[in-house]
Amino acid sequence: MRHLIAFATTLLLANPAVAEDSSVRGKADAAVKAAFATAPPEWKSRLEQDETMAVCSANENAPPQALYEAIQKREAATVLYPSDGEFIGDWKKGEALAQSGYGLRFTDYPARRENGGNCYACHQLTRAEVSYGTLGPSLLGYGKARGNGPDEVKAVYAKIYNSNATAPCSLMPRFGHNKVLTPDQIKHLVALLMDPASPVNKAE
Amino acid sequence: MTLKRIVIASLALCASVGLAGRWALAQDAETERGLERYRQMMKEDPWSNPALLDADRGEALWATARGPKNATLETCDLGKGPGIVDGAFAELPRYFADADRVMDLETRLLWCMETVQGLKQADLVKRPHPAGGQPVKDLGAIATWVASKSSGALIAAGSGHPKEKEMTALGEALFTRRSGPFDFSCATCHADAGRRIRLQALPHLSEPAEAKKVVGEWPAYRVSSTHVMTMQHRLYDCYWQMRLPELEMGSDASVALIAYLADKARGGEIAAPSIKR
């Protein structure tokens, strides 16, 4: 169904390059189903794309303006903000979460510890950790550069909860929306980025 | 320094990548230099690559009568005619009329083990890849040997059959297809130049110049897991990391991705088995 929607939308936008591709996309869906025929049902659901990921995949992560705005609106509506209005947790716990890549792989069951955010896989965060990836931008001094007013703090929470709410088709996982991290864990990561005491903001 | 000492020193450097987890950049560069030296020595003395022990095992297995039909694989047609191994890997994946399917090397070996030897494909794909520290399974050992018999040849996958083109297009669609709790696709990590996960450099696989350098290096001896890893195993490992289920060996999705990679790497040199971090 979502492919019909994506297909119809691309027709409306008169983008023949993408319209041609949609039959291959349909085959890709079928091939993925067949490739994981023996996977348990809860795993098979991971292979299905929601509308956002179907649109992002079909448009090589650069959807046309109308689709871009539709994603932004839809994803922003998913963000669950903390009920106590408190966004900043414990940056030390955030640092541990940023280091951990544990969780949700087929070898991680039954779960032996909480899921990690694995931030260092893609981002530089502190001077002390030199083993960082470069798929995402450096976040060194993030809070120091922006200040940690209520709007900035809320925006960081939303970004981690659902990256697509601010940047549609971002490479970054939608950690809260996809239940990789809990709201409390996200607060710890917000602290890591925004707390003036965090090593992220102590870097010289 | 003797060959043996350099090899041991290089392996020790590499092993510590897995143990320590974290690395200073300088140490990482040192490891890379160690590996580069090791690769150079392997070129000078090809017998120093541990993967060749598995290639030897694969060669023996190819000629050993096995399975319910008690047959060897010597009549297996890898695309250049029954029993012809030299240069066959360079032309895979390709379309096979007898199976009416495009197949990569491991999928073709599965087919031969089933049709020639009578082994059950369902059993062969149940646990097709070794755990860390365990040697590559029999099929992977055979694949390592077959691949080694194309070493030095240029990647020229396919025979011109239209289904090969379809398979490559399917592979491209899968390469960019995002799903799972992390919303990842292959392209998340492999569609840009000069990126890293932690300190591990990521090849830009949709770019021919970079694909040419790395695709022909598999199967490879992987120092961090101390065994040979085949291309099917490498993809299975990516799907694990993407938080997706276990990719079935021989599935069209696996063949399509390999067809896509081989197409991007067209003209690149096969240097299998190679050695990886």
Side-chain angles (χ1 to χ4, degrees):
Chain A
M1 182 62 197
R2 65 179 182 277
H3 291 287
L4 284 178
I5 295 168
F7 185 64
T9 322
T10 46
L11 281 182
L12 281 172
L13 292 164
N15 187 339
V18 178
E20 262 175 31
D21 208 33
S22 61
S23 67
V24 178
R25 297 263 154 215
K27 279 187 204 162
D29 289 352
V32 161
K33 268 198 185 120
F36 301 94
T38 56
E42 66 271 25
W43 279 87
K44 279 187 183 163
S45 64
R46 296 190 183 192
L47 299 165
E48 285 162 23
Q49 296 179 299
D50 67 3
E51 197 179 342
T52 295
M53 282 308 121
V55 171
C56 291
S57 300
N59 291 281
E60 295 185 5
N61 297 325
Q65 193 61 26
L67 292 176
Y68 184 96
E69 283 167 15
I71 291 172
Q72 204 163 31
K73 198 176 161 195
R74 180 169 60 238
E75 298 299 321
T78 71
V79 180
L80 290 176
Y81 291 99
S83 49
D84 58 3
E86 189 55 64
F87 287 96
I88 298 194
D90 177 348
W91 68 259
K92 284 184 187 135
K93 287 181 182 165
E95 166 67 14
L97 288 166
Q99 290 284 1
S100 168
Y102 182 83
L104 303 173
R105 297 165 297 200
F106 52 71
T107 49
D108 291 336
Y109 296 88
R112 297 180 291 281
R113 51 183 179 274
E114 64 177 342
N115 293 343
N118 212 11
C119 314
Y120 282 108
C122 301
H123 297 283
Q124 181 183 28
L125 288 149
T126 58
R127 283 268 182 241
E129 183 50 271
V130 295
S131 174
Y132 59 85
T134 58
L135 282 159
S138 170
L139 303 176
L140 195 64
Y142 192 91
K144 200 177 172 186
R146 284 163 185 76
N148 59 352
D151 290 349
E152 285 78 11
V153 163
K154 192 179 174 188
V156 169
Y157 179 92
K159 172 84 190 183
I160 301 170
Y161 194 98
N162 191 332
S163 59
N164 282 239
T166 44
C169 305
S170 165
L171 298 183
M172 180 167 146
R174 295 172 286 175
F175 286 104
H177 179 58
N178 281 339
K179 303 209 164 19
V180 178
L181 298 175
T182 65
D184 278 344
Q185 287 179 309
I186 295 173
K187 287 187 197 179
H188 298 321
L189 292 174
V190 172
L192 179 66
L193 286 167
M194 304 307 262
D195 192 327
S198 158
V200 167
N201 299 316
K202 289 281 187 193
E204 287 314 314
Chain B
M1 215 189 241
T2 64
L3 166 79
K4 202 175 160 192
R5 282 178 59 199
I6 291 177
V7 169
I8 289 170
S10 307
L11 286 176
L13 270 170
C14 305
S16 55
V17 173
L19 290 175
R22 289 188 229 164
W23 268 86
L25 284 162
Q27 285 172 304
D28 189 61
E30 187 54 43
T31 305
E32 198 42 55
R33 274 198 293 278
L35 269 176
E36 197 37 61
R37 236 161 121 198
Y38 186 45
R39 289 188 195 110
Q40 191 52 41
M41 303 216 57
M42 272 198 314
K43 274 193 182 157
E44 288 158 17
D45 176 11
W47 296 106
S48 56
N49 184 348
L52 292 178
L53 295 170
D54 296 291
D56 274 359
R57 183 158 65 89
E59 183 176 13
L61 283 165
W62 176 266
T64 304
R66 295 198 304 160
K69 294 187 183 174
N70 198 36
T72 74
L73 288 170
E74 289 162 310
T75 59
C76 175
D77 184 352
L78 296 170
K80 294 175 84 76
I84 298 174
V85 175
D86 283 356
F89 178 60
E91 295 173 17
L92 296 172
R94 59 165 283 158
Y95 175 78
F96 288 89
D98 54 6
D100 188 28
R101 263 190 85 190
V102 177
M103 295 166 151
D104 68 299
L105 172 56
E106 291 163 81
T107 304
R108 187 60 184 173
L109 289 174
L110 271 177
W111 162 270
C112 284
M113 288 166 96
E114 184 165 50
T115 54
V116 177
Q117 297 182 312
L119 295 163
K120 289 260 179 303
Q121 171 150 345
D123 297 334
L124 291 168
V125 301
K126 221 170 259 170
R127 289 197 174 276
H129 309 301
Q134 299 298 309
V136 69
K137 305 260 170 136
D138 287 352
L139 191 154
I142 299 167
T144 305
W145 173 63
V146 172
S148 75
K149 302 295 274 182
S150 285
S151 205
L154 302 184
I155 297 171
S159 59
H161 194 279
K163 286 206 175 174
E164 292 159 356
K165 215 170 208 176
E166 273 177 41
M167 211 51 158
T168 302
L170 178 62
E172 183 167 25
L174 290 168
F175 190 81
T176 56
R177 187 185 187 280
R178 302 179 66 172
S179 81
F182 280 17
D183 295 327
F184 282 173
S185 72
C186 310
T188 304
C189 292
H190 296 290
D192 203 357
R195 304 288 180 173
R196 303 192 318 245
I197 285 188
R198 291 278 184 161
L199 292 179
Q200 178 61 42
L202 296 160
H204 182 188
L205 293 172
S206 47
E207 170 57 46
E210 226 161 297
K212 276 185 199 176
K213 279 190 225 156
V214 297
V215 172
E217 293 185 327
W218 301 90
Y221 183 81
R222 218 180 190 205
V223 177
S224 54
S225 48
T226 64
H227 57 207
V228 164
M229 200 177 223
T230 62
M231 185 57 105
Q232 283 274 348
H233 189 184
R234 187 67 200 82
L235 295 181
Y236 170 95
D237 213 41
C238 276
Y239 273 83
W240 169 79
Q241 193 65 269
M242 290 196 285
R243 274 71 181 173
L244 292 172
E246 296 182 64
L247 180 66
E248 189 170 310
M249 183 194 268
S251 59
D252 272 350
S254 69
V255 175
L257 282 166
I258 294 171
Y260 171 72
L261 293 176
D263 187 58
K264 285 292 173 197
R266 191 170 297 280
E269 190 183 326
I270 291 171
S274 76
I275 187 156
K276 295 283 187 182
R277 56 122 188 145

